[in-house]
Amino acid sequence: GHYIPQLAEVMVEFNKKDNIFNLKGLALGNPVLHFTTDFNSRAEYFWSHGLISDSTYRIFTSVCNYSRYVSEYYGGSLSPLCARVMNQVTRETSRFVDKYDVTLDVCLSSVLSQSMILSPHKRVGHRIDVCVEDETVNYLNRKDVQEALHAKLIGVKKWAVCSSVLEYELLNLQIPTINIVGSLVNSGIRVLVYSGDQDSVIPLTGSRTLVQNLARDLGLKTSIPYRVWFEGKQVGGWTQVYGEELSFATIRGASHEAPFSQPERSLVLIRAFLQGRPLPETFS
């Protein structure tokens, strides 16, 4: 939600001087586009999916919402009030639930890593093999694999999914990029925002709201009303299109990283986007 729109914006600006980039569109999966909207949609998602109680939902939206908690945490000034609220949320959501895919079964060898709240590992493999991430980590730490990949592990003892080798300015999350998406659409660049509907980290509700509001601000009329789309003989998700350049879609049963958990449905979505045609309306 940050890197791709900003890169696209630079490419569009560069093309005004020297037209070398044939940029036609970009697809953003479960992106952070607006800090407060995206992060605070987590509470409603937790509550609507039965992960937290009514009383916890109330304090998570009124006493200390998630955007405030993240700001305080990364800013090094976590208040006792927000700490208590998050402790309550954590107790109810459980360390056994992968926040990136709330319907995924537990990988028993990774219960401890799943207890991380801010940055849980993205265990989003095939529906049967819920331990695919552990297996991937083991594979990429094999010496023969690293040699075959010509990996230069300078200053790195062991490969990990998330590490502190690269240091990010985490509070840059607060910088909105939805306005950049708007400028790209105005430039004639097609933009698809899609959401795996089992992701509670950047829930579909926030993304859908942002796309709807952006369409309104840009004066784009609905060209394809909100409807279901299909992958084969199954429901693939839901979609809505505004004008010719802006569209939103969900992928049913997909996690934060949709192609891991729903590869077939993700392929149908991306293929339709690349070909510039609507998502399938009927069984095939």
Side-chain angles (χ1 to χ4, degrees):
H2 279 230
Y3 300 127
I4 300 305
Q6 291 180 68
L7 175 60
E9 182 183 39
V10 171
M11 293 169 72
V12 169
E13 287 299 314
F14 192 93
N15 275 355
K16 292 178 181 179
K17 301 177 182 178
D18 190 359
N19 190 19
I20 64 171
F21 295 113
N22 186 23
L23 178 63
K24 295 185 177 181
L26 56 147
L28 307 170
N30 293 80
V32 178
L33 297 171
H34 189 268
F35 179 70
T36 55
T37 302
D38 285 320
F39 276 59
N40 291 338
S41 62
R42 176 182 286 212
E44 182 181 17
Y45 191 94
F46 280 169
W47 176 78
S48 65
H49 285 69
L51 273 67
I52 58 175
S53 63
D54 291 351
S55 58
T56 298
Y57 174 68
R58 284 193 293 269
I59 64 171
F60 201 22
T61 52
S62 60
V63 177
C64 176
N65 59 31
Y66 193 58
S67 65
R68 175 183 168 184
Y69 168 74
V70 172
S71 296
E72 289 185 0
Y73 184 90
Y74 285 141
S77 58
L78 182 59
S79 65
L81 184 64
C82 277
R84 287 197 298 273
V85 171
M86 278 308 301
N87 284 339
Q88 178 65 22
V89 170
T90 300
R91 279 196 296 272
E92 292 187 3
T93 56
S94 168
R95 64 175 180 160
F96 295 101
V97 172
D98 187 337
K99 306 307 182 297
Y100 287 92
D101 188 343
V102 297
T103 60
L104 189 70
D105 288 337
V106 174
C107 172
L108 296 179
S109 67
S110 303
V111 169
L112 292 179
S113 68
Q114 286 186 338
S115 68
M116 298 173 65
I117 301 305
L118 272 176
S119 302
H121 289 317
K122 303 167 188 165
R123 187 158 292 98
V124 288
H126 190 277
R127 284 188 297 272
I128 297 174
D129 187 3
V130 297
C131 294
V132 67
E133 183 179 292
D134 286 3
E135 294 156 6
T136 301
V137 170
N138 291 336
Y139 178 74
L140 292 177
N141 275 298
R142 278 172 39 183
K143 295 300 180 184
D144 60 328
V145 173
Q146 292 173 353
E147 290 174 2
L149 291 172
H150 305 285
K152 297 180 180 179
L153 300 181
I154 300 172
V156 179
K157 295 182 178 179
K158 184 178 180 181
W159 186 89
V161 176
C162 297
S163 74
S164 59
V165 174
L166 294 177
E167 294 186 7
Y168 298 97
E169 292 290 342
L170 293 171
L171 287 178
N172 281 353
L173 285 168
Q174 297 176 344
I175 300 172
T177 54
I178 187 66
N179 55 315
I180 299 177
V181 173
S183 68
L184 292 169
V185 172
N186 274 335
S187 299
I189 304 297
R190 290 194 299 122
V191 176
L192 163 66
V193 176
Y194 67 91
S195 298
D197 64 9
Q198 298 308 305
D199 176 31
S200 72
V201 175
I202 308 296
L204 72 95
T205 49
S207 298
R208 182 172 60 185
T209 297
L210 288 170
V211 173
Q212 287 176 343
N213 292 344
L214 180 61
R216 180 199 62 208
D217 294 343
L218 296 177
L220 298 177
K221 303 298 182 182
T222 297
S223 53
I224 297 179
Y226 199 82
R227 66 162 173 82
V228 70
W229 64 272
F230 295 92
E231 176 266 315
K233 299 187 184 303
Q234 294 292 333
V235 171
W238 283 260
T239 184
Q240 185 163 359
V241 181
Y242 305 90
E244 296 181 357
E245 290 84 20
L246 182 61
S247 57
F248 172 77
T250 66
I251 302 178
R252 187 171 70 90
S255 62
H256 183 72
E257 294 175 326
F260 273 141
S261 49
Q262 290 293 338
E264 295 90 352
R265 292 170 190 170
S266 298
L267 179 61
V268 169
L269 178 79
I270 297 300
R271 182 176 286 161
F273 176 66
L274 292 175
Q275 294 175 352
R277 56 179 174 79
L279 284 161
E281 287 190 76
T282 57
F283 288 145
S284 62

